[in-house]
Amino acid sequence: MTEKRPIWTKSFVNISISTFFVFVVFYALLTYMPLYVLNELNGTATEAGLVISVFLLSAIIMRFLSGMILEKFGKKRMLLISVFLFAVSTVLYLVVESFTGLLWLRLFHGIWFSLLTTVAGAIAADIIPPERRGEGLGYYGIAMNLAVVVGPFIVLTLKQYVSAHIIFVVLAVIILIGFLCAWAVNVEEESFSKQPKHKLSINDFLEKKTMPIATVGFLIAFAYASVIAFISVYAESLGLIKTASFFFLVYAMAMLIVRPITGRLFDTVGPKVVIIPSIIIFGVGLIALSITEVSWMLLLSGALIGLGYGTLLPSFQSLAIQAADKNRSGYATGTFFAFYDSGIAIGSVLLGLIAGIAGYANLYLMLGVFVILVVFYYMWIASKQDAQTR
């Protein structure tokens, strides 16, 4: 019996901590930016939404270029460059005073967030022993999921006591710690012979082998956008706004409990055993949201969504990377997150329009059914890939 190679190496710990701080800043700004535009810059609701959309747009565009950039310049170099410029972008919020300047900064910030999270995910996948990748990426994904709770908590707490200037200083200090952790990551770069110049093709922007599972990720992210964008508004309409602040806390706790188990099952039994139940549980969580009337039902929905969706993202990322050749892990990561980010962005806009017509309860009911039906699409994709590997 061969001994298991360790997951928790110095480099894995540091890339996980660095990623955690990056996402803390990301989710903190995602929560705070609309409030900042409305209260500090006297902007409109449309302008408040625009500062989020511009960031996501630049991030999505860069996803398609990130694989080519990582291959050309190397993962460690791009990790340090992107985390440094992400930190610089965070500091620049201290000096931007106009809405136009803020838009340009959000565009710039989105570029480095996209590159940074792509290269960090690719490095994490490379560091983890291949036979334990499902488990390892499950642990790595905890950093992103915990940041969903920590980032908003920091800014919403600070907002009550300090100025916007101090909030931006705190976020700058947080990302500085992330930068220092990134320095401590050791990366084994693939050695390639210099490739002759060639005409650009789809392979320079996307990893085609990853696209089937990336489309499943897109559909799940599309549905999850309703949770990110509208849970507070929905809770307020039910008179449960105080409970809403605990929604993501319960989500994170449920995810933390189940993640080590599902990660090991992914590696030892196979992805279907993890992914199919997780999609169903996520769908049931959305249906539970649609019939929520009291606090405990809202928190139960958060637990179900944490159990289901919280397991899916690292599972899909593992499959995306496994589908590609080892030297294209950057392309695979960029392709997967391009689809995932697009699902969040399109869902945030389109589902808002549907909610305006059908109401939030009906929206969550429809999405719950939609997510459960995604199981059949995933099974079809998995069966095709199984047939190809025989």
Side-chain angles (χ1 to χ4, degrees), residues 220-232 234 282 286 289 305 343-344 347-348 351-352 360 363-364 367-368:
I220 295 297
F222 176 82
Y224 184 65
S226 66
V227 178
I228 295 176
F230 310 126
I231 191 65
S232 59
Y234 180 51
F282 177 37
L286 292 172
L289 264 185
I305 291 169
I344 295 288
S348 298
L351 296 178
Y360 290 107
L363 174 70
Y364 286 121
L367 287 173

Side-chain angles (χ1 to χ4, degrees), residues 218-220 222-223 279 365-375:
F218 170 86
L219 296 174
I220 295 297
F222 176 82
I279 294 176
L365 177 60
M366 289 186 286
L367 287 173
V369 175
F370 169 79
V371 165
I372 292 172
L373 292 175
V374 170
V375 168

Side-chain angles (χ1 to χ4, degrees), residues 231-243:
I231 191 65
S232 59
V233 180
Y234 180 51
E236 189 172 43
S237 71
L238 297 172
L240 301 175
I241 190 62
K242 290 184 179 179
T243 308

